[in-house]
Amino acid sequence: MDIKTLHDADVIGITTAKNAFDTLATAFGQHKDNWQTEVIDRLNRSQWTGTAAGHAQARIQLLENELQAAQQEIGLVSRALQDAYDGFAAAQAHLISALDDAKTHKLTVAPDGGITWDNDPASANFAGTDAEAQAQLISKRITAALTEADHADQTISARLAHLATNASNGTGLDSATVKADTDAANALQQVPAAATDPNSVKAWWNGLTDDQQQRMILNHPDQIGNLDGIPAAARDQANRTNLKNLIQDRTNQLANLGPEPKQYLGYVKGEPVTNPEYEKWKAKRDALKEKLDGFQSIQDRLDGKFEGGGGPGSEPPLLLLGIGDQGQGRAILSWGDPDKARNVSSLVPGLNSNLAGAGNGDAMTAKRIYQSAASSARANSETPSIASVFWLGYDAPQLDGPSVLMQDRAEEGGAAYNKFLTGLRATHEGAPAHMTAQGHSYGSLVVGKATQHPGGLPVDDIVLVGSPGVGVDKASQLGIGADHVYVGTAKYDPVADAPSPGMLIPGWSAVEAFTNPDGSWHGTDPASQSFGGQRFSVADGTVTDSHDNYFGKHDKGGDSLPNIGKIVSGHGNTITREDPR
């Protein structure tokens, strides 16, 4: 495809052809209806019986099925032509817009796409001091439009060639063939289910034209933005739209909640009697406000209202890879594009993590990991290529009940996390990225559960910090080799020091202690020698702050964050080590 061909293309002619096939399908349908009335219905009324009648009726039924299939195949040609028009019209519009902007900026576009301009400030045609930058942007837009047209041409040509073959060799009269063709056409217009394998999702996405992809993003932002296997840039675009929708929806729900009921019904012996209707109203209001505040904090981060970056023009850019109101809320943010970075880290948080933190402090945790990994890359004479993801894709346990003591949230979160990382593998461009899974606190148990799914966790390294156990007794059971499992534990971390449940049971014996001296709440202590991981150095900290210091918060944690940066950048062999306990 070249500029002239796309610019001069008569896309209206495609609509004319599509309308002709619509007319043909309508006429064919009328003939089929006449066949039903004049042949089948009459035979049914004739009460014809016998061997010949049986053969005739079987043959007539076959013909009816073939006519039905033929009508559907004609309709599929019409659908393919409509998609062709949509694809070519969008590409042509994008090209014309780029060419018009080139004229506005006094740039000359050659037939081969080369762009020139007048550099003389004294000339009436002077293109300005930003001419080169504008030329680069417009050149990218022209290339994108031509690529879009090429993609539409290839996909539509393949569909029409397939339908033409069906028509010429008779396979288009087979109901099974027609069903397969119809399902394939429908798949181009329907978003895959959330449980779909990410590799299949990526194949579906690649089968869409650029215009079809854009329509999916605009029409189904909540589904596209949270579908593993969709490229990061598309997820970010969809999720930013969905985030605004979620904020507006919660705002409307709060406004429509109704007036606040009386808190008390009265007093009995001087004590207030609570109004049940007030309690219901307050519970609804508090839940809505908590979600709204969380979503708004993420929007504020993306708008650049918080210190530390994340707004327009942020370096690195901040992408919103997931957002939703399931359970306590979902949020996935990434500093840098994981589809392009050579090194990709994804952190699973633990106890007390929530939406409000995702947009504020937790976002900065992920950024500090990014910066540490970039520093490690530079120290090894490499150009940094990092993406650091904060993944709140599950209901993290809160200090309002026993959830942190149980493993059910980790089971559900592990399945979702495994699928998310499989999606990152599927959408990554070029050579496979070096991927690191990180789990903090209860999040380390989520990572551990994620490794136990069929095929394991698609990562190269695992980092566990402040871990109360990961559900297995040996680092080798995490599926990537014990030498790629890194553990950081502060001496005075109360979470990592949580005893095994048996230790809290009356009558727990010294025999049991000898049997599992390294027991932790959710399995063997990852920092123990018997677990077999690679332990890196971390500051001792205090009972009150050590659990939060692994990622350099307030410049604490000692070597912890630099060590994590080394692992994320692919230089785990350079960590400062600490003996297992």
Side-chain angles (χ1 to χ4, degrees):
M1 185 68 65
D2 56 45
I3 292 176
K4 179 174 174 52
T5 300
L6 179 56
H7 184 277
D8 296 343
D10 178 18
V11 294
I12 299 301
I14 301 176
T15 300
T16 302
K18 185 260 184 192
N19 292 339
F21 270 91
D22 286 342
T23 301
L24 176 61
T26 300
F28 197 95
Q30 292 173 345
H31 287 306
K32 184 172 69 68
D33 291 343
N34 290 339
W35 162 268
Q36 175 73 38
T37 302
E38 299 299 328
V39 178
I40 297 177
D41 291 348
R42 289 189 179 215
L43 283 175
N44 289 338
R45 290 195 300 269
S46 71
Q47 299 183 342
W48 182 24
T49 60
T51 303
H55 287 304
Q57 289 168 350
R59 179 56 183 160
I60 289 170
Q61 183 60 57
L62 177 61
L63 287 173
E64 182 181 8
N65 293 342
E66 290 178 339
L67 289 172
Q68 177 67 33
Q71 183 183 12
Q72 290 178 282
E73 287 278 294
I74 293 170
L76 290 174
V77 174
S78 176
R79 289 176 62 176
L81 290 172
Q82 180 63 54
D83 287 344
Y85 170 79
D86 291 342
F88 285 122
Q92 187 180 63
H94 295 154
L95 174 66
I96 292 173
S97 175
L99 295 176
D100 287 345
D101 285 349
K103 289 181 181 178
T104 300
H105 290 285
K106 299 182 178 180
L107 304 174
T108 301
V109 180
D112 64 356
I115 301 178
T116 56
W117 59 90
D118 191 336
N119 274 320
D120 184 1
S123 171
N125 292 319
F126 177 51
T129 56
D130 65 341
E132 184 173 1
Q134 292 295 337
Q136 290 176 350
L137 291 173
I138 289 172
S139 179
K140 289 180 180 178
R141 290 168 59 190
I142 292 172
T143 299
L146 295 177
T147 301
E148 185 177 2
D150 275 331
H151 185 66
D153 186 32
Q154 292 168 11
T155 55
I156 298 302
S157 293
R159 287 171 64 183
L160 292 175
H162 172 74
L163 294 171
T165 299
N166 287 354
S168 62
N169 63 18
T171 55
L173 301 178
D174 176 65
S175 58
T177 298
V178 175
K179 182 180 183 305
D181 292 344
T182 302
D183 289 346
N186 289 340
L188 297 175
Q189 300 173 341
Q190 297 174 354
V191 180
T196 304
D197 173 70
N199 291 288
S200 298
V201 171
K202 182 59 165 54
W204 165 79
W205 185 257
N206 287 345
L208 303 178
T209 65
D210 290 350
D211 182 62
Q212 288 170 328
Q213 292 174 356
Q214 193 62 33
R215 277 185 284 159
M216 285 290 177
I217 291 171
L218 295 174
N219 295 335
H220 308 285
D222 56 331
Q223 294 172 270
I224 295 299
N226 294 294
L227 191 57
D228 298 318
I230 298 293
R235 291 182 71 160
D236 177 62
Q237 183 183 350
N239 284 319
R240 287 172 185 261
T241 298
N242 193 32
L243 177 58
K244 288 182 170 61
N245 293 341
L246 289 168
I247 290 173
Q248 186 60 56
D249 179 61
R250 292 301 174 280
T251 301
N252 292 340
Q253 288 187 52
L254 276 170
N256 296 329
L257 196 56
E260 178 179 342
K262 291 172 55 178
Q263 186 172 358
Y264 302 113
L265 296 176
Y267 292 83
V268 175
K269 296 181 180 180
E271 296 295 325
V273 178
T274 301
N275 180 1
E277 292 304 314
Y278 170 80
E279 293 297 320
K280 292 179 184 178
W281 180 90
K282 182 177 183 299
K284 289 182 181 179
R285 182 201 63 186
D286 290 350
L288 286 169
K289 192 170 187 310
E290 183 179 5
K291 285 275 185 74
L292 176 59
D293 290 347
F295 291 138
Q296 189 61 57
S297 76
I298 295 170
Q299 185 64 63
D300 288 346
R301 170 66 65 184
L302 296 171
D303 289 342
K305 294 182 179 179
F306 290 145
E307 290 186 8
S314 174
E315 182 54 45
L318 182 62
L319 281 68
L320 185 60
L321 301 184
I323 195 71
D325 62 356
Q326 308 97 302
Q328 296 167 189
R330 303 287 186 263
I332 308 172
L333 298 105
S334 177
W335 296 97
D337 188 341
D339 288 348
K340 295 179 170 59
R342 290 196 309 274
N343 298 287
V344 178
S345 162
S346 52
L347 171 64
V348 183
L351 182 65
N352 276 348
S353 297
N354 55 34
L355 279 176
N360 203 335
D362 289 328
M364 291 310 299
T365 295
K367 187 171 185 182
R368 287 194 296 274
I369 294 172
Y370 176 98
Q371 292 168 330
S372 180
S375 295
S376 173
R378 285 190 289 267
N380 286 274
S381 302
E382 298 171 353
T383 300
S385 179
I386 314 292
S388 178
V389 178
F390 174 79
W391 186 88
L392 184 61
Y394 80 116
D395 283 339
Q398 307 293 304
L399 280 178
D400 58 1
S403 58
V404 72
L405 307 179
M406 313 302 287
Q407 296 193 9
D408 54 336
R409 297 193 181 202
E411 294 280 2
E412 294 179 7
Y417 185 59
N418 185 295
K419 191 160 164 292
F420 172 73
L421 292 186
T422 300
L424 291 190
R425 280 290 190 207
T427 58
H428 192 269
E429 301 172 10
H434 167 257
M435 289 178 58
T436 303
Q438 297 194 56
H440 175 226
S441 185
Y442 189 90
S444 66
L445 180 61
V446 175
V447 172
K449 294 296 183 182
T451 67
Q452 302 305 298
H453 285 261
L457 196 60
V459 297
D460 303 284
D461 291 307
I462 291 175
V463 175
L464 310 169
V465 291
S467 174
V470 295
V472 299
D473 293 325
K474 301 286 185 182
S476 58
Q477 294 173 307
L478 296 178
I480 63 169
D483 55 335
H484 289 278
V485 177
Y486 298 88
V487 182
T489 299
K491 182 177 182 180
Y492 297 111
D493 185 342
V495 175
D497 278 341
S500 64
M503 296 180 185
L504 303 180
I505 299 174
W508 183 78
S509 68
V511 173
E512 290 171 293
F514 179 77
T515 302
N516 188 18
D518 297 324
S520 188
W521 190 267
H522 293 298
T524 297
D525 180 2
S528 66
Q529 186 169 3
S530 63
F531 186 77
Q534 312 298 309
R535 190 170 177 190
F536 56 86
S537 140
V538 173
D540 291 345
T542 67
V543 172
T544 57
D545 73 1
S546 57
H547 190 62
D548 292 329
N549 290 343
Y550 294 103
F551 304 103
K553 186 177 181 181
H554 303 311
D555 295 322
K556 296 182 179 181
D559 288 343
S560 181
L561 180 60
N563 281 327
I564 290 171
K566 292 172 183 178
I567 298 164
V568 170
S569 66
H571 299 286
N573 61 318
T574 65
I575 59 171
T576 55
R577 296 181 178 273
E578 187 168 320
D579 291 335
R581 60 188 183 185

